[in-house]
Amino acid sequence: MSFLLPKATGESINLGIMGGTFDPIHIGHLVTAEEARQQFKLDHVIFMPAGTPPHKEQKYISPAEHRYIMTMLAVVDNPYFTVSRLEIENNQLSYTIDTVRRFFQIYKNGLNLYFITGADAILDIKTWKDYEELLEACSFIAASRPGYPFNKLKTIFGSAFAKIAKKIHFLEIPAMAISSTDIRRRIAEGKTIKYLTPEPVEQYIYKNKLYRQ
Ligand code: ATP
Ligand code: MG
């Protein structure tokens, strides 16, 4: 899958996967992943940039290689973080459940898998493919994100909430109303993005003239 991933030794391992488009990656992602790593004693966090969906009508997403490289630049100084090419090498839409199944094939029974998301993503979970199987197979770590209150989950799931909530760990992170959408908009408007993303990512964006329009 990737030579950068931790080896499957048969011993128990706690892995976090952080999925996203990472167009571009920013400090909201990094703070969330680092907080999850420490609180849940994760051995590694694997960033999983999504493949570029082949649909023409899809809103524009930067080519997967750019997103992969920016993610790599952002995590390179953290010994616990790595990036997987699994989804970007699969040209079709990749579903989280397929990625999770693949990880269990590789790490077998010793795997404790945590899927790390922001609150917006967890509020959407009912729309994910085979979400019930997903909640059986792994735990979720859901990070707070301004504008997406967790208590909406109760309304979404109603009486099934208690069961669902057992597999979701709610993580309070320092409020960060930062998004890739905002970074892209700032670039297009000629505004600074300094400190919103690691400096090498910022330089990569300028060097490759990303998000100019
Ligand atoms: P976009 O604006 O393009 O949707 P984004 O900032 O939401 O980008 P994604 O790549 O969509 O970033 O998100 C990947 C994951 O990171 C999602 O689970 C999302 O909820 C989470 N996430 C993104 N930004 C934050 C943030 N500021 N705080 C907490 N979680 C975040
Ligand atoms: Mg998003």
Side-chain angles (χ1 to χ4, degrees):
M1 182 152 58
S2 162
F3 74 97
L4 291 172
L5 290 187
K7 293 263 172 309
T9 59
E11 289 185 14
S12 138
I13 187 165
N14 296 331
L15 290 186
I17 299 181
M18 177 131 194
T21 37
F22 304 123
D23 194 17
I25 190 163
H26 54 70
I27 56 164
H29 300 126
L30 295 165
V31 169
T32 299
E34 179 67 358
E35 192 63 25
R37 177 191 74 75
Q38 191 167 53
Q39 282 202 29
F40 293 88
K41 301 189 169 48
L42 305 179
D43 296 305
H44 296 271
V45 175
I46 299 157
F47 287 74
M48 182 70 67
T52 309
H55 303 141
K56 284 221 181 74
E57 67 273 22
Q58 191 83 18
K59 83 171 168 64
Y60 184 78
I61 299 177
S62 302
E65 290 301 336
H66 279 321
R67 295 183 288 107
Y68 170 75
I69 292 168
M70 289 190 284
T71 307
M72 192 64 109
L73 288 171
V75 307
V76 78
D77 61 353
N78 188 321
Y80 300 100
F81 287 2
T82 188
V83 189
S84 170
R85 296 180 58 86
L86 179 74
E87 291 190 6
I88 66 168
E89 278 177 2
N90 171 4
N91 288 325
Q92 301 165 12
L93 266 183
S94 356
Y95 295 103
T96 300
I97 187 68
D98 300 327
T99 300
V100 165
R101 286 184 189 135
R102 184 83 185 96
F103 271 77
F104 276 99
Q105 279 169 3
I106 296 167
Y107 292 97
K108 312 244 161 35
N109 296 333
L111 177 61
N112 298 314
L113 196 57
Y114 293 82
F115 201 85
I116 306 167
T117 69
D120 57 313
I122 208 76
L123 291 178
D124 239 19
I125 186 119
K126 258 193 166 169
T127 66
W128 294 22
K129 186 181 164 213
D130 298 339
Y131 80 93
E132 281 165 321
E133 183 186 336
L134 201 56
L135 282 163
E136 289 289 326
C138 61
S139 302
F140 277 73
I141 301 174
S144 56
R145 199 172 179 187
Y148 301 95
F150 285 137
N151 57 19
K152 268 201 179 162
L153 260 188
K154 286 197 182 124
T155 322
I156 293 167
F157 281 97
S159 56
F161 174 74
K163 187 170 168 234
I164 300 295
K166 275 193 202 132
K167 296 303 289 282
I168 303 176
H169 306 279
F170 298 99
L171 184 70
E172 283 299 326
I173 55 159
M176 260 191 292
I178 164 173
S179 68
S180 306
T181 302
D182 181 53
I183 292 179
R184 294 193 300 270
R185 194 181 304 130
R186 284 171 161 274
I187 297 275
E189 293 173 356
K191 291 185 180 156
T192 178
I193 59 162
K194 209 164 184 52
Y195 311 122
L196 296 176
T197 188
E199 168 123 28
V201 176
E202 183 187 351
Q203 296 307 332
Y204 186 91
I205 290 170
Y206 292 135
K207 177 172 168 177
N208 292 284
K209 304 183 171 56
L210 303 181
Y211 317 125
R212 288 249 179 117
Q213 29 91 56

